[in-house]
Amino acid sequence: MIDHERLVADAVELVSIPSFTGSEEAAARWFAERCEELGLQVQWQQVEDGRANVLATRHGTGGGPSLMFNGHLDTSYSGREPWSRGVQGFQPEGRVGDGRIWGLGISNMKGALACYLAAVRALGDAELRGDVLLAAVCGEIEKTQYGDAQGAEYRGYAAGTRYLVTHGGVADMCLLGEPTEGKVVLGHFGSLWARIGVGGDFVHTAFSEGRANSVLRAAELLPEVAAWCERWAADEANAWGDVPAIASVGAVRGGLEWRLSRTPQRTSVFLDVRVPPGKPMAAARAEVLELARSLGEAHPDWDVDAEIYVTAPGASVDEGHALVAAIDGAHEAVFGERPGRDVPRWFSDASALTAYGVPTVNYGTSTGLMEPGKGESLEVAGLVRTAEVYARVAREVCG
């Protein structure tokens, strides 16, 4: 049985430890202490200053498959952003009210980490043949270092899990409790980030008549870039099952906001291209660079250039995998019906785990109430039932 009160207490405590990307160590230490209380063997992985992973193992008697529960400690926001200040669900302060837990990271994904602890606690002294591993990792959020954005707070995109899998953090399979609305994610898209730049004249605006303005040139390129994004999304070769791909312009950068008296020598358009699990990232890279080449050929005097600076592959798992069957059965036993399926276009640490030979299924709670003015929250009853599913999956998989 799941200890309802302890689960809520753990979730509230963990949410109340700030762990924005780059500063996850305090939350990792809390998780390590809870695992030690459970009698697990704890491995501390110091990824870098201020950042750590925790890998805890409940050893089996031998002869059974090993199962990892993996979850990230870093939160999508800090709670200090102007738009998040004063919003209860976007603050690192766990609170309980109206049958819900509120606070930054409760749905993505500290609630799942608390569920892992509750599931192992519910196993008690039950003898399982296989090992159960709990991995709490840093640096999962979709972000990367680029340009002036340097430092640990920008090192995401599976930074922690890549360290994990190269330092002993592997298992026969992994359940990753990202918020999936109780659906089984058999695959998710990967990400490719690209910059396409266009040149112009760096000149005082007082003398800019007749000179090339890179901002205005980029504006002319945007319709062509947008058309390419539409073609990428419409191309069936970029779909995964019946889920189409997507590509979008995420940023445009050029010039100096503090010195508008100078026209910029270069303006860049930044693309976020979602790549299906079955498509090699090198192939996607080539297509994006071909777009840049075609723009350069159409505008030979504009000094068009391009670079790719994120290639984070998608992930998939076979429908017939034993972990999928175990989740199906456990979910039906707890919720009274079989879980649905989903292929989201967001990224998860399943990318690094799958690449390292660990079949991974994303399955977790709801995404929480992400309504304006409210922020993240999770229903307590749903959290308890999810923890029960995890405990049942461990019993089934590990024997």
Side-chain angles (χ1 to χ4, degrees), residues 7-17 93-96 101 106:
L7 171 55
V8 172
D10 280 349
V12 169
E13 283 185 31
L14 185 52
V15 166
S16 299
I17 302 173
E93 301 170 2
R95 298 181 183 178
V96 181
I101 301 174
I106 183 60

Side-chain angles (χ1 to χ4, degrees), residues 66-263:
S66 55
L67 170 67
M68 177 193 295
F69 291 100
N70 181 298
H72 62 85
L73 293 159
D74 55 332
T75 57
S76 298
Y77 315 107
S78 68
R80 300 186 299 272
E81 298 84 2
W83 52 267
S84 69
R85 293 172 190 166
V87 180
Q88 181 177 336
F90 284 140
Q91 296 305 308
E93 301 170 2
R95 298 181 183 178
V96 181
D98 299 323
R100 306 185 74 87
I101 301 174
W102 297 81
L104 181 63
I106 183 60
S107 63
N108 188 28
M109 57 177 295
K110 293 184 176 183
L113 289 165
C115 284
Y116 300 161
L117 295 171
V120 170
R121 195 174 290 117
L123 293 175
D125 296 329
E127 290 190 354
L128 302 180
R129 293 194 300 275
D131 295 344
V132 178
L133 292 76
L134 305 186
V137 301
C138 62
E140 184 272 353
I141 301 298
E142 292 183 59
K143 59 179 67 174
T144 192
Q145 297 182 124
Y146 185 81
D148 296 334
Q150 299 294 320
E153 66 182 294
Y154 301 104
R155 287 195 278 272
Y157 263 126
T161 289
R162 284 198 302 272
Y163 189 99
L164 176 81
V165 295
T166 57
H167 293 80
V170 293
D172 290 308
M173 62 197 82
C174 176
L175 192 159
L176 210 166
E178 290 280 1
T180 68
E181 302 289 350
K183 295 179 180 178
V184 172
V185 170
L186 296 174
H188 69 69
F189 281 67
S191 301
L192 181 148
W193 288 1
R195 180 192 64 79
I196 298 177
V198 59
D201 294 327
F202 182 72
V203 62
H204 195 297
T205 52
F207 309 103
S208 60
E209 294 97 337
R211 305 298 291 269
N213 187 309
S214 67
V215 174
L216 298 179
R217 283 178 168 179
E220 288 188 44
L221 291 184
L222 276 174
E224 298 177 64
V225 173
W228 182 90
C229 290
E230 292 177 2
R231 292 195 299 273
W232 176 270
D235 189 343
E236 292 184 359
N238 296 329
W240 184 251
D242 58 358
V243 180
I246 193 169
S248 62
V249 175
V252 177
R253 186 172 184 179
L256 304 170
E257 298 89 340
W258 53 272
R259 200 177 191 189
L260 294 182
S261 58
R262 298 294 186 275
T263 58

Side-chain angles (χ1 to χ4, degrees), residues 67-70 109 116 172-178 180 183-188 315-328 339-342 346 348-351 353-354 358-364 390 393:
L67 170 67
M68 177 193 295
F69 291 100
N70 181 298
M109 57 177 295
Y116 300 161
D172 290 308
M173 62 197 82
C174 176
L175 192 159
L176 210 166
E178 290 280 1
T180 68
K183 295 179 180 178
V184 172
V185 170
L186 296 174
H188 69 69
S316 64
V317 64
D318 188 75
E319 171 78 45
H321 195 280
L323 180 56
V324 176
I327 295 172
D328 281 348
R341 299 291 190 261
D342 195 16
W346 41 249
S348 86
D349 277 345
S351 172
L353 289 158
T354 300
V358 182
T360 302
V361 178
N362 275 284
Y363 165 86
Y390 292 164
V393 169

Side-chain angles (χ1 to χ4, degrees), residues 14-35:
L14 185 52
V15 166
S16 299
I17 302 173
S19 57
F20 186 56
T21 306
S23 302
E24 301 97 334
E25 185 167 329
R29 196 156 306 278
W30 178 93
F31 195 83
E33 290 171 356
R34 301 294 82 74
C35 291

Side-chain angles (χ1 to χ4, degrees), residues 245-312:
I246 193 169
S248 62
V249 175
V252 177
R253 186 172 184 179
L256 304 170
E257 298 89 340
W258 53 272
R259 200 177 191 189
L260 294 182
S261 58
R262 298 294 186 275
T263 58
Q265 67 269 41
R266 182 158 297 280
T267 297
S268 295
V269 176
F270 294 82
L271 291 180
D272 178 358
V273 180
R274 298 288 151 157
V275 182
K279 185 163 191 166
M281 296 304 290
R285 174 184 180 276
E287 291 187 47
V288 174
L289 292 179
E290 180 57 35
L291 164 65
R293 276 191 286 271
S294 68
L295 293 174
E297 290 172 358
H299 307 281
D301 300 326
W302 284 18
D303 188 21
V304 176
D305 73 338
E307 62 180 323
I308 309 297
Y309 61 101
V310 165
T311 46

Side-chain angles (χ1 to χ4, degrees), residues 331-345:
H331 182 97
E332 184 173 20
V334 174
F335 288 91
E337 60 183 4
R338 288 268 173 154
R341 299 291 190 261
D342 195 16
V343 179
R345 292 178 293 202

